[in-house]
Amino acid sequence: MPIRTRQQTLRAPISCYGIGVHSGKNATLTLKPAPENHGIRFFRTDLPGTQGIPALFSRVVDTSLATVIGENGVIVSTIEHLMAAFAGMGIDNARVELDNYEMPIMDGSAIVFADKIRETGIIAQSAPCSHFIVTHPIEIADGDKFVGAYPDNSFRITCTIEFPNPIIGRQTISIDLGGDHFFSEIAPARTFGFLHEVEMMKQLGLGRGGSLETAVVVSGEEVINEGGLRFPDEFVRHKLLDCIGDFSLIGMPIRGHIKTVKSGHLFNHHFITEFFKNRSCWETVTPT
Ligand SMILES: [Zn+2]
């Protein structure tokens, strides 16, 4: 996608229904077009009268298992894959309505959302689209975890993961999201888990909606899903998808190169908080 000068929204409403991966609760999700400068906002239709929660990193209340935003005691959980779809498909303004507290996980990737957005269509609005530009490098590290942001003419992300499991091992992927690569290269990559962890989480009452329909499950040296992996390096592609979702909480398209090594929602959120405080490392630019 070329650098956008105008804000965009959906052409028409979109609906999805499915189970929440952590809660096991079914939810109906409706994505609606929204006016200029509205941003992405989440509304709980099961709590009438409550206000919409803007999808911004300042509203993040938990990142331990998934990205959770909240305001005035109202929360919406596991927003990262939908947020990646909005950022990857170039949607700036949308009203997200949900009738429970956790987003449906669908197939564990962002392809259902991205596909419906593409099918429904995207419309350009007249208000200019501001961009968040990385002007100076910034890096943070904690043990072997690392996140950095560097100036770049496009929006590029490079992710590295490392797991002792031999079918994952060390994987790196670098994608230029200024192109049209999100839909085919990243959106279909599913979240993943290890069978022993899935069993332990279920015993703790977590991951209630987790199954072979909602995640890639690794047991020993095998992927036990029928049909195997969608990409040989689906694991790192999903980490990159999560990273797009996390960085979308800056609230506008980014121009810069983000590099992460062994990071996750928590460390990405920590980085964004530090980055935002370092006013000399970024600027926002609004086309005229
Ligand atoms: Zn994810």
Side-chain angles (χ1 to χ4, degrees), residues 10 13-16 28-32 95-99:
L10 301 162
I14 293 171
S15 270
C16 299
T28 300
L29 171 70
T30 309
L31 314 179
K32 294 183 171 171
R95 180 183 169 97
V96 180
E97 295 181 355
L98 187 69
D99 65 354

Side-chain angles (χ1 to χ4, degrees), residues 78 80-81 105 108-109 189-192 238-239 241-242 265:
T78 324
E80 57 267 27
H81 301 163
I105 191 69
S109 79
R190 292 162 294 174
T191 190
F192 57 94
H238 185 79
K239 277 287 172 186
L241 190 162
D242 281 341
H265 298 305

Side-chain angles (χ1 to χ4, degrees), residues 171-233:
Q171 302 185 345
T172 296
I173 189 166
S174 192
I175 290 270
D176 183 347
L177 292 148
D180 196 17
H181 300 129
F182 174 77
F183 187 85
S184 52
E185 302 293 322
I186 302 300
R190 292 162 294 174
T191 190
F192 57 94
F194 300 95
L195 189 61
H196 63 275
E197 284 179 6
V198 174
E199 283 162 355
M200 195 172 72
M201 283 177 76
K202 291 216 170 175
Q203 276 170 14
L204 294 169
L206 302 165
R208 288 170 197 261
S211 73
L212 294 172
E213 276 74 55
T214 60
V216 172
V217 180
V218 178
S219 174
E221 297 186 15
E222 259 188 328
V223 167
I224 61 174
N225 304 65
E226 209 177 306
L229 294 171
R230 293 179 178 171
F231 304 94
D233 59 351

